[in-house]
Amino acid sequence: MLKFIHLTDIHLISGGRRLYGVSPERRLHAAIDSINQEHSDADFVVLTGDQVHWGDDDNYRVLADAIARLDIPVKPMMGNHDNRKAMLTALPSIETDENGFIQYALDTEAGRCLFLDTKIEAETDAGEYCPKRLAWLKQQLESTDAPVIIFMHHPPMKLGLKGMDIIALLDAEPFYAVLKPHISRIRQIFFGHVHRPICGNWRGMAFSCIRGLNHQLALDLEAPETSVPGNFEPPTYGVALADAEQIIIHMHEFMDRSPHFELVTPEGMDGREYSLHMRHGDWDRMT
Ligand SMILES: [Fe+2]
């Protein structure tokens, strides 16, 4: 069984500064504490891009110090907010391909995991997957018969969120053309960028996204392209369990502090009486 954690869009800012009123650094440490306490048996944590909000060295130094606290390996990736050179300076052990893009492969018992670099070096938040990167992906797909799991920052499909759809992966068709001969063994595409929990199927391939760590995108299917509505839904990380038969992705709202209690009520006691016997938490606060 391969077990990994999907965490995305940390948007870290150094110096304890807040972004949209909340502290990404505090949230990152809360996520790390939760992962270490609850999922230290996972094989890795994948960070699907936007590690920092501004791609400067200070932010990456704070990121490097924080993720050093993780008890399990980390797979950092590029997002539109990231700076390739600064990330490699702070995290020199990250693998790159022969052209210097931060993309790499990991062969696991659940298949070959491919971590892609979709950062575009231009004044846009959209993503690209240029011919050099496509060549690397093609080689990675053709050099194994194993199932494949793909990780990337930018979604290659439109999601019905207009303000984000215009900054998705710009060259989705060339990207799809490389995937197409291998679709039957591409098990899942995990991505970030959208800051929302979304799952679905694109041209036969399953995909999933989770909430950003710091701030989220509000669900507004009517908002125009010029608007990116945000909100503060609870931050989440995904807990993925993958074997030869299936991939299960549990969404964990790790900062939730609502009481935990046993749903199986003791014999002879109904649910309302049982509320008095909850193990911890404040029932009044919840009702
Ligand atoms: Fe982001």
Side-chain angles (χ1 to χ4, degrees):
M1 171 78 74
L2 172 71
K3 176 179 180 181
F4 63 86
I5 306 298
H6 181 197
L7 181 65
T8 197
D9 292 82
I10 297 167
H11 285 260
L12 190 64
I13 301 177
S14 64
R17 284 176 292 167
R18 291 170 180 260
L19 177 63
Y20 303 122
V22 299
S23 166
E25 188 175 354
R26 182 174 158 270
R27 289 192 169 198
L28 175 58
H29 282 288
I32 290 169
D33 289 342
S34 169
I35 293 165
N36 284 345
Q37 286 164 19
E38 300 171 59
H39 303 291
S40 61
D41 59 336
D43 294 280
F44 60 82
V45 182
V46 57
L47 309 175
T48 47
D50 283 1
Q51 321 301 350
V52 300
H53 194 61
W54 295 294
D56 57 61
D57 293 341
D58 279 354
N59 293 333
Y60 284 108
R61 268 195 292 274
V62 174
L63 175 79
D65 288 346
I67 63 178
R69 294 181 51 234
L70 278 162
D71 293 335
I72 53 180
V74 189
K75 302 293 181 190
M77 297 174 59
M78 288 291 291
N80 49 295
H81 282 259
D82 289 306
N83 179 292
R84 207 171 280 118
K85 185 165 174 280
M87 196 194 296
L88 287 169
T89 300
L91 300 166
S93 63
I94 303 180
E95 291 178 63
T96 60
D97 69 10
E98 61 187 11
N99 295 303
F101 294 109
I102 297 179
Q103 50 181 16
Y104 43 89
L106 177 70
D107 287 322
T108 74
E109 61 190 279
R112 175 168 288 183
C113 294
L114 296 175
F115 304 87
L116 310 186
D117 181 338
T118 58
K119 165 81 174 184
I120 186 170
E121 295 300 340
E123 287 297 312
T124 173
D125 288 319
E128 74 168 358
Y129 210 64
C130 62
K132 286 180 179 174
R133 284 173 273 191
L134 283 171
W136 178 88
L137 176 60
K138 188 168 185 286
Q139 193 275 330
Q140 291 295 329
L141 291 168
E142 290 178 351
S143 60
T144 181
D145 293 327
V148 172
I149 302 173
I150 292 176
F151 301 90
M152 57 202 300
H153 183 69
H154 294 85
M157 74 291 290
K158 306 290 187 200
L159 297 164
L161 301 161
K162 300 179 189 70
M164 296 304 291
D165 284 348
I166 60 169
I167 56 168
L169 193 73
L170 295 178
D171 37 15
E173 292 308 322
F175 179 71
Y176 173 69
V178 169
L179 298 184
K180 191 176 178 184
H182 310 281
I183 278 180
S184 63
R185 59 192 176 92
I186 296 176
R187 306 186 67 192
Q188 185 88 19
I189 301 174
F190 292 83
F191 55 83
H193 192 50
V194 192
H195 293 225
R196 278 206 62 74
I198 304 171
C199 58
N201 192 292
W202 179 57
R203 301 177 180 178
M205 295 171 282
F207 67 80
S208 61
C209 179
I210 56 172
R211 291 189 184 120
L213 184 70
N214 189 70
H215 50 280
Q216 287 73 47
L217 192 82
L219 179 60
D220 184 347
L221 299 174
E222 304 305 319
E225 283 186 355
T226 51
S227 170
V228 180
N231 69 4
F232 289 116
E233 293 177 15
T236 307
Y237 61 71
V239 181
L241 306 170
D243 62 18
E245 290 193 357
Q246 57 189 23
I247 298 178
I248 307 296
I249 308 160
H250 296 280
M251 302 298 178
H252 187 20
E253 293 176 354
F254 61 92
M255 293 181 79
D256 174 63
R257 293 293 175 265
S258 64
H260 289 199
F261 56 94
E262 177 55 59
L263 289 168
V264 179
T265 56
E267 201 172 339
M269 187 181 285
D270 72 21
R272 225 165 57 178
E273 292 167 325
Y274 188 57
S275 68
L276 301 172
H277 295 262
M278 285 161 59
R279 287 202 296 268
H280 52 84
D282 180 352
W283 180 252
D284 289 337
R285 184 170 56 85
M286 295 302 301
T287 52

